Amino acid sequence: MDANLRWLLSFYRTSEIGGALFFGQLSKVLRPGPLQQDMTRHFADEAQHARYWTDCLAALGAEPLRLQQTYQDNYLAAAGTPVNLMEILAITLVFEKRVFAQYAHHYRSPALPEPVRETLAKIIADERWHIRWVGRALASMEAEYGRDTVADTLARFRRADEEVYRAAIREHGERLTALLIGVMKR
Ligand SMILES: [Fe+2]
Ligand SMILES: [Fe+2]
């Protein structure tokens, strides 16, 4: 298969594993309750997504590549480690929106191989729910943390998101534009 596509699908896969582990760790320390239940479903989804990408690569006759650094690592480096649950949900919301936009762009790109199209369609449906539940949970924290603080936190993480995204384009732009014209641009 195309080397750039193999790299991109491996990148997605690594990122999904990173997401599953991040939310898995959180689910372990959260008190049982609605938030922990949603978080558990969330990390189960992300683990499934990693598996879907593995299957998709196999359907295209390729093994996943081993990639060292995940998008999440870069995120935490740029944004700083979140210090409370509200901040965790805020960074998650920004991140999930980025993932959703990337997958949705990719889905619209021309000449999509069928296994990639099917995998993206399945994952996008789950990612919609991720944005919904995290947005709801974050809104419910406005009473405790203050609406302005939540809004400021979101703004801070959005700036970090832009920074990480631009860095990713600088680093990987060439192989991506070769593969998905316009997909990584906004
Ligand atoms: Fe995912
Ligand atoms: Fe997600």
Side-chain angles (χ1 to χ4, degrees), residues 24-97:
Q25 292 291 349
L26 273 171
S27 304
K28 200 171 149 187
V29 296
L30 283 179
R31 244 178 276 122
L35 197 102
Q36 196 222 30
Q37 272 174 23
D38 284 340
M39 188 78 81
T40 305
R41 175 173 158 190
H42 192 147
F43 89 77
D45 278 358
E46 306 297 21
Q48 287 281 42
H49 296 171
R51 175 182 157 217
Y52 296 160
W53 285 125
T54 312
D55 292 348
C56 179
L57 279 153
L60 295 166
E63 294 276 328
L65 293 167
R66 177 163 192 187
L67 304 175
Q68 289 304 335
Q69 225 186 7
T70 68
Y71 202 68
Q72 284 93 337
D73 295 334
N74 299 338
Y75 241 68
L76 294 178
T81 307
V83 296
N84 55 41
L85 192 55
M86 182 277 285
E87 290 204 2
I88 287 168
L89 290 174
I91 199 172
T92 299
L93 186 62
V94 172
F95 180 73
E96 291 290 332
K97 284 185 176 174

